Amino acid sequence: MNRRKTGLLLLLFLCAQLLAGFIVIHSGGTDELDMVEVNALTRSCEEAFSLLEAGHTGQMPVSVYDYAVLDGEGNILYASDGDDSLTLRRAIQRRDTLVDLHTAGPEAGAQAGGKLVLRSGYEQQAAQLKGRLSLLLAVSVMLTGLFFALGVRYLDRTVFTPFRRLKAFAARVAGGDLEVPLTMDRDNVFGAFTESFDLMRHELCQARERERRASQSKKELVAKLSHDIKTPIASIRAVAEVMAVSAGSEKEKRQLAVIEGKADQVDSLISNLFHAALEELEELEVCPQEQDSRLLGELLRQADYLKRAEIGPIPECLTLFDPLRMQQVFDNLIGNSYKYAGTSLRVTAALSGERIVVRIRDYGPGVPPQELPLLCGKYYRGANSQGKTGAGLGLFISRYLLRQMGGELVCENTEDGFQTCVMLKI
């Protein structure tokens, strides 16, 4: 209900009350007397006046009006309703009609011998009018109270409740809750504001999501670049070590030592940057897609930067992985073998049920059995890591990336070395 309809209803209610009051006030009987009846009654009383003075009331006429006859001194001689207490003063107070009674007839010079008092009924009419007005007032008060209660309920539904809802919504938005929409209601005075507030919430939610995505992308980029740079740095360091062995002069050895030291310094800085980025990063984006399994062989060859791996044939099938993330996995696994085993590698692949399993095996001393369950933990470094660079994140990231692609990473000792098994869905 809008404001125009509410105002019209209030106006009609007030008009109805005024009309009811007018009808009640003017609904009483008329005060006009039948003059023919009054004249006939007056003549009859004048004729019987002498008998009344003598105390005889048997000859008094019958009339439609209640009446009484008073003598010249105002004493009651006769009352048709039996009220012998009537006096002239009381008759005047209750607004009765007084008519002079002429004892010698109404001709000129005759003297008034008494008074005919016609009961006006004013007191009865006043009592009836008072009763009707009291009833009207009671009904009016009840209807006004009902109208007021309905008005309060209407205001609560259309003004106060929507305002409280807006207040609670503003508190939620201020607290950062942008997911719960504000129900729009056009039937209250805040309908337009409700729609505007919800649009504001939607825009804030989108802005927060854009900010989150931008921050996530930045963190992912820093983490990805930080980790990927470590591989070429390791290659530079390894090449410098090989060149130092075959260097022909002390000057070349010193220069190669400087290159190796700077490579270690850059690797340490990159490790610190990657560590900080990974702490803030909730998860790395992984987009697995169906790929030709032969692509795995190409990724393995790119990861084997020292060319120590003997890579066997890859069974042809369609498998599910993200090429970018798989390159990171192979870089980590082969790089760890170079760092901790320092031997040649053998890479084999075979189908096992609904998976393709790629095994990367070295011929180093392996890992103590008690450390095997801990190798893929974040920041864990084994006992053989003393004096070697690293942050203890390679296997942790590799297992995380494989699980995001629906695969798994298993580390195990062999009879003559250490082996990592990369499992992918086919």
Side-chain angles (χ1 to χ4, degrees), residues 57-73:
T57 59
Q59 301 297 322
M60 296 304 297
V62 178
S63 175
V64 296
Y65 297 114
D66 288 332
Y67 69 95
V69 179
L70 303 179
D71 60 15
E73 296 178 357

Side-chain angles (χ1 to χ4, degrees), residues 108-388:
Q111 298 294 324
K115 298 288 186 182
L116 173 63
V117 180
L118 297 174
R119 186 70 176 268
S120 65
Y122 173 79
E123 292 180 347
Q124 183 180 2
Q125 293 177 3
Q128 292 176 352
L129 179 60
K130 183 179 179 180
R132 289 194 295 267
L133 287 176
S134 298
L135 178 62
L136 176 63
L137 180 61
V139 173
S140 178
V141 170
M142 292 177 59
L143 291 178
T144 302
L146 178 62
F147 189 85
F148 179 77
L150 293 176
V152 171
R153 180 176 177 83
Y154 172 75
L155 288 176
D156 181 71
R157 184 175 64 86
T158 60
V159 178
F160 301 123
T161 298
F163 181 77
R164 288 192 294 268
R165 191 181 297 121
L166 283 177
K167 182 179 178 181
F169 173 78
R172 290 199 306 270
V173 170
D177 182 7
L178 302 178
E179 299 301 325
V180 181
L182 181 62
T183 304
M184 288 182 285
D185 186 1
R186 300 182 182 275
D187 292 334
N188 60 68
V189 296
F190 295 102
F193 296 100
T194 301
E195 185 175 6
S196 300
F197 269 57
D198 195 64
L199 288 175
M200 178 190 70
R201 176 201 62 83
H202 183 67
E203 291 298 325
L204 287 174
C205 188
Q206 288 188 333
R208 174 186 286 184
E209 180 64 18
R210 288 193 294 268
E211 180 183 2
R212 187 194 66 81
R213 290 180 181 178
S215 178
Q216 184 83 354
S217 298
K218 181 184 70 175
K219 294 174 183 177
E220 289 181 1
L221 179 62
V222 172
K224 177 179 179 299
L225 292 177
S226 300
H227 188 269
D228 291 348
I229 290 174
K230 293 174 66 68
T231 299
I233 293 298
S235 301
I236 293 173
R237 189 177 185 279
V239 172
E241 289 178 352
V242 172
M243 292 179 65
V245 173
S246 60
S249 65
E250 289 297 325
K251 181 179 180 180
E252 290 181 355
K253 290 182 179 181
R254 288 194 302 270
Q255 290 175 339
L256 291 172
V258 171
I259 293 175
E260 186 177 349
K262 293 300 180 182
D264 290 340
Q265 183 181 2
V266 172
D267 184 72
S268 178
L269 294 174
I270 292 299
S271 296
N272 292 337
L273 180 61
F274 180 66
H275 181 277
L278 194 65
E279 283 292 330
E280 296 183 358
L281 192 60
E282 294 181 0
E283 60 180 22
L284 296 171
E285 183 179 3
V286 181
C287 301
Q289 297 177 352
E290 288 187 356
Q291 306 286 346
D292 190 336
S293 61
R294 290 174 293 183
L295 180 58
L296 296 174
E298 180 63 28
L299 298 177
L300 286 166
R301 282 186 286 273
Q302 292 180 15
D304 181 26
Y305 57 89
L306 292 183
K307 306 304 177 185
R308 295 180 183 177
E310 179 187 348
I311 302 174
I314 307 294
E316 295 186 12
C317 63
L318 289 177
T319 184
L320 190 68
F321 65 89
D322 183 341
L324 176 63
R325 301 308 182 188
M326 277 307 304
Q327 185 67 72
Q328 289 181 256
V329 172
F330 288 147
D331 286 346
N332 280 327
L333 299 181
I334 293 178
N336 282 347
S337 295
Y338 287 164
K339 183 187 301 184
Y340 298 109
T343 66
S344 60
L345 304 175
R346 178 174 175 77
V347 180
T348 60
L351 297 178
S352 176
E354 296 182 353
R355 292 188 175 187
I356 181 172
V357 182
V358 180
R359 294 179 173 86
I360 302 175
R361 179 178 180 180
D362 62 46
Y363 301 94
V367 177
Q370 66 271 17
E371 292 187 4
L372 278 175
L374 307 175
L375 286 180
C376 294
K378 184 186 286 188
Y379 307 125
Y380 180 78
R381 304 193 72 195
N384 61 347
S385 63
Q386 296 294 330
K388 295 180 174 63

